[in-house]
Amino acid sequence: MTAQLIEPARSAWQADPYSDALRAGRGPLYLRRHDGWLLPLEVERWCAEPDAADDTVLARCSGPVLDIGCGPGRLVAALAGLGHAALGVDVTPEAVARTVRAGGSALCRSVFDPLPREGGWGTVLLIDGNIGIGGDPAALLYRAADLTAPGGSLLVEAATADVDERVEVHVEDGAGGRGASFRWARLGTRALCTEAKAAGWTPYDTWQAAGRHFVHLTH
């Protein structure tokens, strides 16, 4: 992952529309592609307590857990409540602040920065579309492998559609506020498993819950 890809993405997720939505705990908030396509972002769900689909992820976590792109920290806080050593990382200061207020631990840092316990995390999470971080799933999957302990797990939320795309997007609020453009990716389950195998991961399980799709990979 090059600095040219990391830095624009970092700046974009620190942009006012995203931070403002996290402060308010609600949207509307979107990712907009340059051809006009919009992906609604589920800010209200991210800022709420874990739902039934999240519970299926939490139940598969073992050992210390790293949540990449933790957002407002619902999973990190829940894991701490379950007795896990859990850490969230996010490039948005407001996301980190909300995670801490919720009772979780988090660092304001990119996943590609040096992180605690590298190579020792029992479970790594890429939930809420975070396989898209940086627009380069291969680089992210290799990085996740560096972070995960031997025999550890990577739990990834895939797109519900059978899609494999790398796109340029920006965050906007639907009322004129928008952030800088950055690279993003969307992978359905099939494309995700293909990328994961190439990065040295073994698909262990796939499941669906409340209309969301997940993949369990082992290291």
Side-chain angles (χ1 to χ4, degrees), residues 30-130:
Y30 309 93
L31 287 184
R32 182 183 288 275
R33 208 163 56 191
H34 282 263
D35 61 5
W37 176 90
L38 281 176
L39 176 67
L41 300 178
E42 299 180 84
V43 178
E44 291 86 350
R45 179 173 65 77
W46 298 346
C47 291
E49 295 295 314
D51 60 17
D54 293 328
D55 287 341
T56 68
V57 174
L58 297 172
R60 287 169 167 80
C61 292
S62 61
V65 183
L66 178 68
D67 187 0
I68 297 171
C70 66
R74 73 187 189 284
L75 298 180
V76 176
L79 286 162
L82 292 169
H84 288 275
L87 177 69
V89 293
D90 202 288
V91 297
T92 307
E94 181 60 28
V96 172
R98 282 197 67 126
T99 299
V100 172
R101 290 198 298 270
S105 297
L107 294 175
C108 191
R109 201 171 294 181
S110 165
V111 62
F112 296 101
D113 292 336
L115 295 174
R117 207 192 291 256
E118 297 218 5
W121 294 99
T123 306
V124 173
L125 303 180
L126 284 168
I127 306 302
D128 300 327
N130 283 333

Side-chain angles (χ1 to χ4, degrees), residues 75-214:
L75 298 180
V76 176
L79 286 162
L82 292 169
H84 288 275
L87 177 69
V89 293
D90 202 288
V91 297
T92 307
E94 181 60 28
V96 172
R98 282 197 67 126
T99 299
V100 172
R101 290 198 298 270
S105 297
L107 294 175
C108 191
R109 201 171 294 181
S110 165
V111 62
F112 296 101
D113 292 336
L115 295 174
R117 207 192 291 256
E118 297 218 5
W121 294 99
T123 306
V124 173
L125 303 180
L126 284 168
I127 306 302
D128 300 327
N130 283 333
I131 187 63
I133 289 172
D136 187 344
L140 186 55
L141 288 163
Y142 277 113
R143 177 58 175 148
D146 290 340
L147 295 166
T148 308
S153 296
L154 176 62
L155 306 181
V156 187
E157 183 167 356
T160 56
D162 185 15
V163 63
D164 183 0
E165 64 178 16
R166 284 80 169 143
V167 294
E168 189 168 329
V169 296
H170 62 264
V171 179
E172 65 175 51
D173 61 13
R178 59 174 289 171
S181 295
F182 60 99
R183 298 294 299 171
W184 195 249
R186 293 174 66 236
L187 298 181
T189 298
R190 181 169 59 177
L192 173 57
C193 288
T194 298
E195 288 280 3
K197 290 175 184 176
W201 291 95
T202 300
Y204 175 77
D205 189 22
T206 63
W207 76 99
Q208 298 179 25
R212 295 162 62 192
H213 295 203
F214 302 92

